[in-house]
Amino acid sequence: MKTAELITSLVQDGRSLATAARTAGLEAPVPTCPDWQVRDVLRHTGEVHRWATAFLVEQHTAFRALVREPGLDGDDLVVWFLEGHEALVDALATAPQEVACWTFMPAPSPLAFWARRQAHETAIHRVDAESALGGGPGPVSAVFAADGVDELLTGFHARPKSRVRSEAPLRLRVRTTDTEDVWTMQITTDVPHTVRDAKGGADCELVGTAQQLYLTLWNRLPLSTVTLKGDPEVARLWRERSAV
């Protein structure tokens, strides 16, 4: 996706997150993150927004630790979140294309990296806030959701930190029904390796709409949301070890 499109998604999902938080109440439990209340979603996402903004604005070229939220609650916390969200959107929209700063996954540029990462960070936590309302998640466009699946499989789980490992080599395939996307992940005792094709066999295949797969692979929907073909143990391995 283009950076401008990702920024547009970030704008919409940040505002929707705040609206859901105010509607549900900050003390409401978050079913998609059982240990959290809505206030925890706001705090975490707001901290990450400010963390990302600092890299873009101050152009840090090395890792900087996240700065914790200063103990706010109630409407003050919502306002703090919205201020940080707006600052992040502004930083992304005004940063020069050649901005140089630290990132933690390969990308065409640091600007492209942070736009993509923060758009998906915010979308997933918007879904968390909405889960506190007791209904299903709001819509995620197929193109955006497929991009999020790609980031998860070829980005996060191409890092040494990935815990998706298996003593016996396994192949997990992910296929969307509303876009033309397919990924095949090779799972071994080494870092997982994902390619964007359907060559060769697979021990397990997950099939669904891009939104269903996006939220299922991020563990926001149950595995029963998508169609599972093949060995269910491979899908359970993903569920147990894929958290990032």
Side-chain angles (χ1 to χ4, degrees):
M1 292 183 68
K2 295 180 179 179
T3 296
E5 295 171 325
L6 292 163
I7 294 173
T8 296
S9 293
L10 171 62
V11 170
Q12 295 169 346
D13 284 321
R15 292 172 180 171
S16 296
L17 193 164
T19 297
R22 279 181 164 142
T23 304
L26 302 195
E27 73 287 349
V30 179
T32 53
C33 297
D35 295 332
W36 277 9
Q37 295 179 327
V38 169
R39 57 172 52 90
D40 299 305
V41 177
L42 281 174
R43 285 173 177 154
H44 169 77
T45 313
E47 288 168 350
V48 172
H49 284 176
R50 283 167 167 76
W51 179 70
T53 300
F55 287 109
L56 290 160
V57 173
E58 300 169 22
Q59 299 187 24
H60 301 302
T61 56
F63 171 80
R64 291 277 186 110
L66 184 143
V67 177
R68 296 298 175 186
E69 178 272 318
L72 301 174
D73 208 348
D75 199 57
D76 289 342
L77 179 60
V78 180
V79 171
W80 173 86
F81 167 80
L82 285 168
E83 289 173 347
H85 171 251
E86 184 177 348
L88 172 61
V89 169
D90 183 66
L92 288 165
T94 60
Q97 291 292 324
E98 67 277 9
V99 64
C101 62
W102 179 83
T103 63
F104 59 90
M105 291 190 290
S109 69
L111 180 59
F113 167 81
W114 284 112
R116 186 191 209 193
R117 178 78 295 275
Q118 292 309 300
H120 290 296
E121 177 82 12
T122 308
I124 291 297
H125 290 309
R126 182 262 292 178
V127 169
D128 290 332
E130 289 175 342
S131 76
L133 297 171
V140 181
S141 78
V143 172
F144 181 81
D147 184 74
V149 172
D150 189 79
E151 186 202 38
L152 182 62
L153 297 182
T154 70
F156 274 106
H157 288 286
R159 301 190 303 162
K161 289 183 178 181
S162 175
R163 298 185 300 110
V164 179
R165 310 290 175 102
S166 172
E167 291 292 332
L170 299 170
R171 284 166 62 87
L172 172 65
R173 181 159 293 145
V174 176
R175 188 189 303 271
T176 63
T177 56
D178 53 349
T179 68
E180 296 181 354
D181 294 292
V182 59
W183 300 264
T184 303
M185 173 181 280
Q186 182 74 35
I187 305 171
T188 65
T189 56
D190 203 349
V191 178
H193 177 67
T194 300
V195 293
R196 298 180 184 90
D197 64 40
K199 295 177 181 178
D203 298 285
C204 177
E205 182 168 327
L206 302 179
V207 182
T209 67
Q211 174 170 337
Q212 289 172 333
L213 290 164
Y214 180 50
L215 298 181
T216 298
L217 291 170
W218 272 103
N219 297 328
R220 264 54 184 194
L221 289 176
L223 282 168
S224 58
T225 302
V226 300
T227 300
L228 190 157
K229 301 177 181 180
D231 187 354
E233 291 301 318
V234 181
R236 279 195 281 270
L237 181 148
W238 172 272
R239 178 68 67 170
E240 293 169 0
R241 303 186 187 180
S242 64
V244 296

